[in-house]
Amino acid sequence: MRPPDNGKPPYVARVEKIESDSRNNVKVRVRWYYRPEESLGGRRQFHGAKELFLSDHYDVQSAQTIEGKCIVHSFKNYSKLENVGAEDYFCRFEYKAVTGAFTPDRVAVYCKCEMPYNPDDLMVQCEVCKDWYHPACVDMTIEEAKMLDHFVCFECTEDDAKRSQNGFHSSPVSDSDEKVETKRRKR
C-alpha cells in the first residue's frame, strides 16, 4: 500500500475485507505487516531483508491506496524458494504492536554464534553432526564455502582425532561427488 512519504518503501498489509459505501467508495479492512525496523527493538542481525511481522494492528483504508500485490510466504516456504522475486516476502513472527511482544517468542538457533537462521546468509552443514555454520564463524570466506566439496566442523574433527588416539576410527566421509549443502537461495 502506498505510504504517505514517497521516500519510504510501500506498506504491506493483508486484505481482510473489501466493501463499498452508498457512494461507491471502496474501502479495504487490512491487517498490517511491520518491517523489523518498525517494531520495538528494531532490526536485528538475523532478520532477513524481506522479513515482515504479522501484527495485531487492523485498519480501514481506501482501496485506491493499494499499489499492487505481493506474496508473504511462511518462513518454511520462503526458505525453499529457488528464486526470490521483488514481490516475495516472508513472515515467521506475529507481532503485538502495543506491547512489542512476538509469537513465537523463541526460535531455533544455529552455528556457534547461536543466531537464528537468516535466509539471506550462506551457511554450511557439517557432514558428521549436521549442525549449520556461518562461514565467518568457522574462519572461512563465503567464496571458500561456496567451493567446498566436504565440510566437517572443528568439534567433529577434534572428536575424530580423540577417537583415533584411543584406537577407534570413525567411518570415512563418503567419496561422493556431491558438494556440501549450503543454505542460501538466489535472488
Side-chain angles (χ1 to χ4, degrees), residues 81-85 184-187:
L81 292 176
E82 285 295 320
N83 294 300
V84 176
R184 189 174 204 173
R185 289 167 332 288
K186 301 172 191 145
R187 281 212 235 188

Side-chain angles (χ1 to χ4, degrees), residues 161-175:
K162 287 177 188 172
R163 281 193 293 275
S164 294
Q165 287 174 348
N166 293 329
F168 297 104
H169 299 283
S170 62
S171 59
V173 176
S174 74
D175 293 328

